[in-house]
Amino acid sequence: MFLLKTWRSTAFGIYGYMNFTKNGFLEHSKKFKPEDMQIQIEGKNCVVTGANSGIGYAAAEGLASRGATVYMVCRNKERGQEALSKIQNSTGNQKVYLEVCDLSSVNDIKSFASSFAFKDLPVHVLVNNAGLLENKRTTTPEGFELNFAVNVLGTYTMTELMLPLLEKASPDAKVITVSSGGMYTSPLTTDLQFSGEKFDGVLQYARNKRIQVALTEKWSDKYKNKGIGFYSMHPGWAETPGVAKSLPSFNESFAGKLRTSEEGADTVVWLALQPKEKLVSGAFYFDRAEATKHLTLAGTSKSHELVDSVIDTVRSMASLDS
């Protein structure tokens, strides 16, 4: 097991250095088609979580600049309002709105989803971007480990509760979940809240991001007749406030080599704009292309067989009806 973990970390480091940095983006961008990003989406409603900074902000701005009506879901009202004003000013699009919700709280998400449902709007794109890497074990007031609460439980609850509004946008609806290449270092596990070991925030984050990829596969299959496409993606290694706070030594080591938030969000916006016929529901995307979900000899692929067990547990924690 030690050798396997070491191999995963080594393979991830090499693969990441070659692909996930700014240089990787610049190299991959040589194959990009400019016309892919010139599509306008006026009249489409997009919900972006964690939209006040970093990749979420860049995604919200990118969608707003192409005419979308954007609902920014943020935990902090003041920071959210500031980000909203900046996006309205930079894009000239006034159809950008703030929704305040703490994505670490199941009850808050339920309250948000209930009030948002009264708008009776079709949701064409849901971007599950809100994410967290907390290095110290922290428990939410609802009793859940904080990383898991935001990255998995929050993402799951938000997506499930938005399904009726996504169905209203069928067959054009999309759910885009911002995962991370960190998931390459971890198989799927049923130890959702990191019990019984010395807490490791980076590993817990990787586990959470692996769950997001497996969840996307499962949603794609379960809801294939609802006219909703489900996609997960990796933004690459980007210089964001979240990375600076959670991984300060990594941020310093790669100074000048990290992607901008806009480069990190590029594939989110690309996925939102493309006709669904061009995309593969359930797939994992990186730099506008379908990417592998497992590194060679990393021993993670069979772990996705645990996904039903993981979902049963998460659904129970969220207290959602079957």
Side-chain angles (χ1 to χ4, degrees), residues 114-182:
S114 178
S115 63
F116 196 83
F118 280 109
K119 299 181 192 295
D120 202 29
L121 294 168
V123 172
H124 299 86
V125 180
L126 168 62
V127 179
N128 288 316
N129 166 75
L132 182 76
L133 196 172
E134 173 56 56
N135 288 297
K136 294 179 180 176
R137 181 185 289 279
T138 306
T139 303
T140 70
E142 294 172 0
F144 302 111
E145 189 279 315
L146 182 58
N147 291 286
F148 166 79
V150 176
N151 301 330
V152 177
L153 190 56
T155 295
Y156 178 82
T157 306
M158 176 65 79
T159 304
E160 290 285 331
L161 293 180
M162 294 297 277
L163 283 174
L165 299 183
L166 287 159
E167 281 190 77
K168 284 179 178 288
S170 171
D172 294 329
K174 296 173 182 172
V175 176
I176 302 164
T177 298
V178 180
S179 183
S180 166

Side-chain angles (χ1 to χ4, degrees), residues 238-289:
E239 189 172 4
T240 66
V243 169
K245 180 184 176 187
S246 302
L247 299 168
S249 58
F250 172 84
N251 201 54
E252 277 182 34
S253 300
F254 282 84
K257 296 175 182 171
L258 298 177
R259 300 174 176 214
T260 64
S261 294
E262 290 73 25
E263 289 166 347
D266 178 84
T267 295
V268 176
V269 177
W270 180 84
L271 284 165
L273 298 180
Q274 300 319 296
K276 282 170 72 177
E277 309 81 64
K278 278 181 63 174
L279 305 175
V280 179
S281 188
F284 180 62
Y285 280 85
F286 173 60
D287 284 349
R288 305 192 195 179

Side-chain angles (χ1 to χ4, degrees), residues 39-40 59-68 70 87 90-93 96 269:
I39 297 166
Q40 293 295 305
E61 185 177 44
L63 295 169
S65 71
R66 290 164 176 85
V70 179
I87 289 175
S90 69
T91 65
N93 183 350
V96 184
V269 177

